[in-house]
Amino acid sequence: MLERVPLLEKDLADYADVAGPEAVERICALAEPLRGARILHLNATAYGGGVAELLATHVPLLRSVGIEAEWQVIHGSDEFFTVTKAVHNALQGADVEWTSDMQRTYLEKVLDNALLLEGTYDFIVVHDPQPVALLTFLHDTAVDTPDMRWIWRCHIDLTDANPEVWEFFRPHVERYDASVWTMPEFVPSSLEMERVVQAPPCIDPLSVKNLDLPAPFVTEICKQYGVDTRRPFVCQVSRFDPWKDPVGVIEAFRVIREKVPDAQLVLAGSMATDDPEGFRVWEQTEEARAGDKDIHLLSNIQQVGNVQINAFQRAADVVLQKSIREGFGLTVSEGLWKGRPVIGGRAGGIALQVRDGLDGYLVDSVEECAHRTIELLEDPATADTMGANGREHVRKNFISTRELEDWLRLFTELQP
Ligand code: UDP
């Protein structure tokens, strides 16, 4: 059997205050005909990164409306995750060598996992490329009953995908009954599939990472990590991944400090189990930091968990997400939800969340990132207004109930 991820319980009714009672009613009405449906979400990691973050709320919410939902993770190995990270990079546009050894490593491990998949489901939702070939191995087996439906949820931006790698994956993807994407622009034109759906991810406003925290508690947490909230403070929360450009953030910070000498930077990033690049990028970032005491490089290794992330995003004068490529970037909505302006790289789903000049700014370079940050540090009233705009934008578009509604609609459409 594949590993089942233990879940918290969540109650849809608790979301009425934030999402509005009409949203809760719409969801209940959509869920009623789907009561008892068995839905499995499958991905590569239970911890670290946006997909794990999403499923930790989405699956309990499905359960709270009467659906028998569960979440399982495939098992991997260092070799497998090195290959799948190369695939991830190649699909985001990196120049990666795609050897037959890599293909073999990938397919063998997916086959192992296919043999471990048990049970019968009405819908299986497979996230990202790591497990996507499962269906190829399971086609017409006892798991793949004629009435069941398979959905591939692609969280990454394939606009500039490496053609060789995409052509390897395309036949596996095309076996699915539907695919779900963050933005229509991410879908390769070569994909032949009848049902292609757009449904961007969402944050859970009631999760420990996003719920309101009393100001003295926020100040105290920051203090524990050496951050003085009386001084200007910017932060970026993200995995240590080259596409998130942590070194670029440090370069921008050096420019910021020429104008705002007492500024501080927190770069907080967890190490995900399916991301072997993390330690290398951490080391590069540490090198770029060059012992600077006002740059705080933190991770789960220093016990930075959801409460700490919440406090950093809340206390920051400006939240950064200077990605070069990005699927969605949950951290952007997380920052906006806390009423902070976000300066984001003009990449993928960041542009859905930050309306340039309204909720923060979209930037294309280190210099632009630095100058926009200086502007907001010098004008806290505008920063607060942008943060307030952003919070409302997130409330309307990027909270878990919206995503739940999208998925229930898709399940309804796909029902046999
Ligand atoms: N995250 C975290 N701790 C960290 C770094 C990231 O909890 O040290 C969380 C972050 O708050 C967000 C998710 O991991 O909820 C990252 O999702 P995002 O979509 O921004 O990026 P991904 O990692 O999926 O590329």
Side-chain angles (χ1 to χ4, degrees), residues 5-15 27 41 43 45-46 49-65 67 69-71 127 201-211 306 330 334 398-405 407-408:
V5 182
L7 296 163
L8 294 174
E9 238 174 76
K10 304 218 179 240
D11 186 349
L12 177 66
D14 294 340
Y15 291 75
I27 289 170
H41 279 271
N43 81 319
T45 179
V51 181
E53 187 75 22
L54 282 173
L55 292 178
T57 291
H58 182 66
V59 179
L61 280 181
L62 283 171
R63 288 183 178 203
S64 103
V65 294
I67 287 166
E70 51 178 284
W71 170 15
H127 294 260
C202 283
I203 61 160
D204 180 351
L206 306 186
S207 71
V208 172
K209 182 170 289 168
N210 295 315
L211 49 76
N306 290 339
L330 286 173
E334 289 167 5
F398 304 117
I399 55 173
S400 321
T401 40
R402 201 239 63 238
E403 193 185 25
L404 182 61
E405 220 177 311
W407 278 97
L408 291 173

Side-chain angles (χ1 to χ4, degrees), residues 320-397:
L320 303 179
Q321 190 54 59
K322 203 204 151 300
S323 305
I324 294 161
R325 279 249 182 244
E326 190 60 77
F328 183 68
L330 286 173
T331 51
V332 172
S333 278
E334 289 167 5
L336 295 174
W337 178 248
K338 284 149 196 142
R340 302 319 309 147
V342 176
I343 296 180
R346 196 185 303 275
I350 295 180
L352 285 178
Q353 301 170 81
V354 174
R355 295 165 300 173
D356 197 19
L358 252 187
D359 316 302
Y361 293 107
L362 295 171
V363 295
D364 294 293
S365 66
V366 164
E367 293 68 34
E368 212 184 337
C369 177
H371 291 127
R372 288 301 195 187
T373 308
I374 293 166
E375 222 177 282
L376 290 179
L377 289 177
E378 289 177 341
D379 183 359
T382 300
D384 287 346
T385 306
M386 287 184 159
N389 294 342
R391 183 175 164 97
E392 190 51 18
H393 182 49
V394 169
R395 197 185 65 74
K396 287 197 181 127
N397 299 290

Side-chain angles (χ1 to χ4, degrees), residues 47-54 88 155 201 203 209 237-241 244 268-271 298-300 304-306 309 313 321 326-332 334:
Y47 177 79
V51 181
E53 187 75 22
L54 282 173
H88 177 97
H155 293 271
I203 61 160
K209 182 170 289 168
V237 173
S238 53
R239 286 180 295 107
F240 285 96
D241 177 309
K244 310 279 185 185
S270 57
M271 304 290 176
L298 302 169
S299 81
N300 46 324
V304 172
N306 290 339
I309 298 288
Q313 289 170 330
Q321 190 54 59
E326 190 60 77
F328 183 68
L330 286 173
T331 51
V332 172
E334 289 167 5

Side-chain angles (χ1 to χ4, degrees), residues 78-268:
D78 289 350
E79 201 190 358
F80 175 74
F81 286 133
T82 303
V83 169
T84 56
K85 188 67 204 286
V87 166
H88 177 97
N89 289 340
L91 292 176
Q92 293 210 126
D95 191 16
V96 166
E97 208 191 343
W98 184 228
T99 65
S100 51
D101 276 354
M102 292 164 87
Q103 296 172 29
R104 188 174 319 108
T105 302
Y106 173 73
L107 290 173
E108 280 176 1
K109 189 52 87 184
V110 177
L111 174 61
D112 280 356
N113 280 287
L115 296 171
L116 291 172
L117 187 65
E118 288 174 3
T120 44
Y121 299 93
D122 298 296
F123 301 94
I124 296 188
V125 184
V126 172
H127 294 260
D128 281 341
Q130 299 95 330
V132 71
L134 268 175
L135 174 53
T136 308
F137 294 119
L138 290 169
H139 188 56
D140 277 345
T141 63
V143 177
D144 184 32
T145 57
D147 280 350
M148 79 163 295
R149 298 289 177 260
W150 292 79
I151 302 160
W152 187 50
R153 173 59 174 107
C154 180
H155 293 271
I156 51 186
D157 175 356
L158 302 197
T159 320
D160 202 17
N162 175 314
E164 205 190 336
V165 176
W166 168 239
E167 280 310 312
F168 173 88
F169 279 92
R170 190 163 65 88
H172 298 291
V173 170
E174 287 177 349
R175 287 182 174 276
Y176 284 71
D177 298 295
S179 59
V180 177
W181 303 76
T182 299
M183 297 175 84
E185 295 87 330
F186 290 2
V187 186
S189 53
S190 56
L191 178 68
E192 286 193 23
M193 184 177 276
E194 229 169 82
R195 203 176 297 263
V196 174
V197 176
Q198 186 202 356
C202 283
I203 61 160
D204 180 351
L206 306 186
S207 71
V208 172
K209 182 170 289 168
N210 295 315
L211 49 76
D212 278 346
L213 295 176
F217 182 65
V218 169
T219 306
E220 187 55 33
I221 289 190
C222 291
K223 190 169 152 212
Q224 292 300 322
Y225 285 87
V227 177
D228 181 349
T229 51
R230 291 164 303 186
R231 287 167 50 198
F233 163 35
V234 291
C235 97
Q236 172 161 309
V237 173
S238 53
R239 286 180 295 107
F240 285 96
D241 177 309
W243 303 103
K244 310 279 185 185
D245 200 17
V247 173
V249 172
I250 291 183
E251 287 166 3
F253 181 70
R254 301 222 194 275
V255 179
I256 293 166
R257 233 186 1 196
E258 285 168 17
K259 273 283 182 147
V260 188
D262 56 346
Q264 309 157 92
L265 169 68
V266 163
L267 273 172

